[in-house]
């Protein structure tokens, strides 16, 4: 039986396109590998086109050596792609165009406030739990008026409406966000002269013809922000698929503090890719215990309805399975 949270109907005219979008701010780890393996297998099962898009705008956090490493890690696992688009940093013109369009329609304002000012204006404690919240009381008086040519050396924020935004997700079901209460006005452009993540992704998913976005569910609130931008720019909203994350025993997102879980480390230590994919398959509900798998086995075995709807906790046994 197909659970309700999984939509199997085709909501877009063929051909469908998805993207693998690693950020070269660090090496890919086991959690990234699971999300990418799921993304790849869902796409390959249905003959979608897979686009590789390296998201390298997050300066200065980008580590250039992890760009090639990401390609090598994916290829090692057998997670192939059909097209690679240029690095986001190669041409900022599409993002500048989108910024101007948002400026012309009065959807953004220039923000000269420091993080400290913004943090100090946060009143309700529940807002603080979700990170920095830009309170509408901080908006400059001219917020909402059209700006013909937004300066690219300033921070620009998107004015969120006091409205519920519903994110319809093929995996996570539907959720509703009132961005005016969660995070508030968010940056679309940074003072370093480039687009912020939310704008870059909304623009790129549209111009690369992406119909299906499959990624970690830590980005579910970002989907609401991206929908707000897509609506403002008249861009289509892709079908979202947000899948639970792999976490450490402390419940936090997989990171250095949980030990070295980088794919490159296992690869260089001679761990076979089949061992890693076996763990991925186990984490996707394919087997009762990890069993070596090729990418073809993983593809054949993936049943979206069997992927656990809860987070996965990385344990010492999992690492022992890899390192034997
Ligand atoms: N590049 C982002 C990351 O690695 C993913 C962005 C997205 O899928 O929209 O976290």
């Amino acid at each position: 039986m197909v659970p309700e949270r999984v939509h199997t109907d085709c909501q877009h005219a063929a051909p469908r396109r998805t993207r693998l979008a690693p950020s070269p701010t660090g090496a890919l780890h086991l959690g990234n590998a699971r999300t990418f393996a799921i993304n790849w297998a869902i796409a390959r099962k249905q003959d979608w086109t897979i686009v590789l898009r390296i998201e390298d705008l997050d300066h200065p956090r980008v580590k250039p050596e992890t760009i090639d490493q990401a390609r090598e890690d994916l290829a090692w696992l057998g997670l192939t792609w059909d097209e690679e688009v240029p690095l986001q940093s190669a041409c900022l013109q599409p993002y500048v165009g989108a910024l101007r369009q948002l400026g012309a329609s009065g959807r953004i304002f220039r923000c000269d406030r420091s993080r400290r000012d913004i943090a100090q204006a946060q009143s309700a404690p529940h807002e603080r739990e979700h990170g920095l919240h830009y309170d509408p009381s901080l908006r400059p008086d001219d917020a909402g008026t059209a700006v013909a040519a937004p300066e690219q050396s300033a921070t620009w924020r998107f004015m969120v409406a006091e409205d519920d935004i519903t994110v319809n997700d093929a995996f996570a079901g539907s959720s509703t966000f009132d961005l005016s209460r969660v995070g508030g006005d968010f940056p679309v452009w940074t003072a370093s002269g480039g687009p912020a993540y939310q704008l870059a992704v909304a623009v790129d998913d549209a111009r690369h013809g992406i119909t299906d976005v499959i990624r970690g569910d830590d980005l579910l609130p970002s989907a609401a922000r991206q929908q707000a931008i897509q609506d403002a720019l008249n861009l289509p909203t892709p079908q979202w698929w947000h899948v639970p994350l792999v976490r450490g025993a402390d419940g936090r997102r997989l990171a250095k503090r949980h030990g070295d879980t980088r794919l490159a480390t296992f690869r260089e230590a001679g761990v076979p890719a089949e061992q890693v994919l076996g763990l991925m398959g186990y984490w996707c509900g394919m087997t009762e215990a990890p069993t070596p798998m090729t990418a073809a086995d993983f593809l054949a075995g993936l049943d979206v309805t069997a992927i656990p709807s809860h987070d996965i906790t990385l344990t010492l046994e999992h690492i022992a399975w890899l390192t034997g």
Side-chain angles (χ1 to χ4, degrees), residues 114-134:
S114 65
R115 281 186 72 87
R116 207 165 145 223
D117 288 351
I118 298 168
Q120 273 171 357
Q122 279 176 214
S123 43
H126 76 270
E127 289 172 349
R128 289 193 207 115
E129 285 163 26
H130 297 284
L132 201 63
H133 176 89
Y134 185 96

Side-chain angles (χ1 to χ4, degrees), residues 233-293:
L233 292 174
N234 240 326
L235 301 174
T237 290
Q239 174 65 63
W240 308 113
W241 307 67
H242 288 91
V243 297
L245 295 184
V246 179
R247 296 184 182 272
D250 56 0
R252 294 167 79 181
R253 243 183 343 168
L254 213 55
K256 267 196 198 130
R257 72 178 79 89
H258 302 115
D260 189 350
T261 64
R262 293 174 296 174
L263 295 177
T265 304
F266 298 115
R267 176 157 56 88
E268 281 154 23
V271 175
E274 289 73 17
Q275 209 79 1
V276 176
L277 285 165
L279 182 60
M280 303 297 124
Y282 169 62
W283 280 349
C284 290
M286 287 182 210
T287 52
E288 294 293 315
T291 314
M293 278 187 195

Side-chain angles (χ1 to χ4, degrees), residues 68-140:
D68 272 342
Q69 203 180 60
R71 294 190 189 105
E72 285 160 23
D73 289 343
L74 291 169
W76 174 61
L77 291 176
L79 308 183
T80 50
W81 54 95
D82 305 301
E83 289 170 25
E84 179 171 355
V85 294
L87 297 181
Q88 288 177 314
S89 63
C91 174
L92 298 184
Q93 225 35 55
Y95 316 118
V96 173
L99 180 73
R100 290 205 178 125
Q101 213 178 316
L102 293 174
S105 55
R107 303 303 301 267
I108 52 172
F109 61 87
R110 184 186 159 128
C111 172
D112 296 316
R113 306 242 180 216
S114 65
R115 281 186 72 87
R116 207 165 145 223
D117 288 351
I118 298 168
Q120 273 171 357
Q122 279 176 214
S123 43
H126 76 270
E127 289 172 349
R128 289 193 207 115
E129 285 163 26
H130 297 284
L132 201 63
H133 176 89
Y134 185 96
D135 196 275
S137 64
L138 296 172
R139 285 177 185 162

Side-chain angles (χ1 to χ4, degrees), residues 19 21-23 32 53 55 197 201 205 213-215 219 226:
R19 72 318 196 268
S23 287
N32 304 125
R53 182 172 80 218
E55 303 201 322
Y197 161 72
V201 164
D205 283 340
V213 168
I214 304 173
R215 60 188 180 188
L219 291 173
Q226 288 157 24

